[in-house]
């Protein structure tokens, strides 16, 4: 069964600290993996898209890693800011219009 | 540049009523999608369109209909609303078939069915 599991479900960190969010998937075939940020009351916004051959991809303070062999991805946030408080959603594409969404990790950055 | 705009933002319906949710994009994207987001679950695809005049079923299409008469608009209809359709509905668009294109999402329509 094609599934995307994210952990932890929720996380609280202090402003300025780093954190890492995990995504494990069983989707096959694999086309690409995406990370989205969803602010409360808003739609998801794309952070990164990684293909099979990409191990690491960065977008400002966000760094995504992908291990296609173990079917795991992580999103590392460096020097967190209050504006990083949001849900982070991992999405795996199995090809043409086939997207499998994780249920997200809710991050709360406290001052 | 507005991106993807959804109307209305909130709506409360009674069981059995009908309504249409409107999605408009100004990015000249070919592909458009309707998703629903329920607590504790990932987004689920309801219907999608690969171009003007085309529509296709997604993962959870029952109880919904769609139309794409104009490239920039994608309408989602509920013919006879049921409490199980209480959800947040997101529209998204992408330039092409989505394999390596990000999806651009609207800010959602929060729909409650009483």
């Amino acid at each position: 069964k094609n599934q995307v599991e994210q952990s932890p479900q929720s996380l609280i960190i202090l402003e300025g600290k780093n954190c890492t969010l995990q995504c494990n998937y069983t989707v096959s075939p694999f086309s690409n993996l995406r990370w989205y940020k969803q602010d409360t009351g808003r739609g998801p916004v794309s952070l990164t898209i990684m293909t099979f051959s990409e191990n690491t991809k960065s977008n400002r303070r966000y760094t995504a890693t992908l291990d296609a062999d173990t079917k795991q991805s992580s999103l590392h946030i460096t020097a967190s800011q209050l504006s990083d408080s949001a849900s982070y959603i991992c999405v795996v594409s199995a090809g043409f219009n086939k997207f499998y969404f994780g249920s997200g990790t809710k991050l709360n950055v406290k001052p | 540049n507005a991106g993807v705009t959804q109307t209305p933002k909130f709506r409360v319906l009674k069981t059995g009523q009908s309504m249409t949710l409107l999605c408009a994009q100004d990015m000249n994207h070919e592909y458009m999608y309707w998703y629903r987001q329920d607590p504790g679950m990932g987004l689920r695809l309801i219907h999608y369109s690969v171009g003007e005049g085309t529509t296709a079923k997604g993962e959870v299409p029952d109880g919904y209909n769609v139309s794409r008469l104009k490239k920039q608009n994608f309408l989602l209809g509920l013919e006879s609303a049921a409490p199980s359709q209480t959800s947040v509905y997101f529209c998204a668009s992408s330039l092409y078939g989505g394999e390596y294109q990000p999806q651009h999402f609207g800010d959602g329509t929060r729909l409650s069915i009483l």
Side-chain angles (χ1 to χ4, degrees):
Chain A
K1 185 179 178 182
N2 291 314
Q3 282 188 313
V4 177
E5 302 279 351
Q6 292 188 243
S7 61
Q9 280 190 320
S10 61
L11 183 63
I12 300 173
I13 62 173
L14 291 176
E15 187 179 11
K17 298 296 185 183
N18 303 335
C19 68
T20 300
L21 314 180
Q22 298 290 342
C23 173
N24 295 338
Y25 61 93
T26 58
V27 176
S28 183
F30 174 87
S31 175
N32 59 78
L33 184 143
R34 302 144 182 249
W35 283 94
Y36 285 85
K37 178 187 179 189
Q38 184 177 20
D39 292 320
T40 300
R42 305 295 299 273
V45 174
S46 178
L47 293 175
T48 65
I49 299 176
M50 301 178 71
T51 61
F52 184 88
S53 58
E54 295 174 297
N55 300 117
T56 304
K57 203 157 191 179
S58 292
N59 177 356
R60 294 179 293 172
R61 293 178 297 100
Y62 301 102
T63 299
T65 64
L66 173 63
D67 186 333
D69 291 331
T70 61
K71 298 189 175 182
Q72 295 181 324
S73 176
S74 65
L75 181 69
H76 186 75
I77 303 175
T78 304
S80 61
Q81 301 177 356
L82 297 179
S83 59
D84 291 330
S85 293
S87 288
Y88 292 84
I89 301 172
C90 176
V91 185
V92 179
S93 171
F96 181 77
N97 287 319
K98 281 185 167 53
F99 300 103
Y100 297 90
F101 287 76
S103 56
T105 291
K106 188 166 186 176
L107 175 65
N108 189 356
V109 180
K110 291 189 175 259
Chain B
N1 192 345
V4 178
T5 303
Q6 292 184 235
T7 53
K9 295 190 188 312
F10 304 94
R11 187 73 185 267
V12 178
L13 288 179
K14 293 181 180 178
T15 299
Q17 286 185 318
S18 63
M19 78 161 295
T20 300
L21 281 64
L22 172 63
C23 175
Q25 54 93 4
D26 62 2
M27 297 173 283
N28 202 34
H29 283 173
E30 290 294 332
Y31 290 72
M32 295 187 74
Y33 310 82
W34 275 107
Y35 292 93
R36 59 180 289 173
Q37 186 175 42
D38 299 297
M41 300 179 69
L43 274 77
R44 291 181 292 169
L45 182 63
I46 304 171
H47 287 280
Y48 65 96
S49 167
V50 300
E52 182 178 313
T54 74
T55 62
K57 293 180 180 180
E59 179 187 355
V60 288
D62 294 342
Y64 306 95
N65 56 74
V66 288
S67 64
R68 183 113 180 256
L69 299 179
K70 292 183 179 180
K71 185 177 182 179
Q72 63 267 34
N73 295 338
F74 196 27
L75 279 63
L76 178 72
L78 284 71
E79 292 179 341
S80 178
S84 61
Q85 294 178 304
T86 293
S87 188
V88 182
Y89 292 86
F90 286 99
C91 175
S93 70
S94 64
L95 188 59
Y96 295 117
E99 281 224 39
Y100 306 110
Q101 294 289 327
Q103 291 182 314
H104 298 261
F105 287 83
D107 283 337
T109 293
R110 282 141 190 85
L111 184 61
S112 292
I113 316 295
L114 303 178

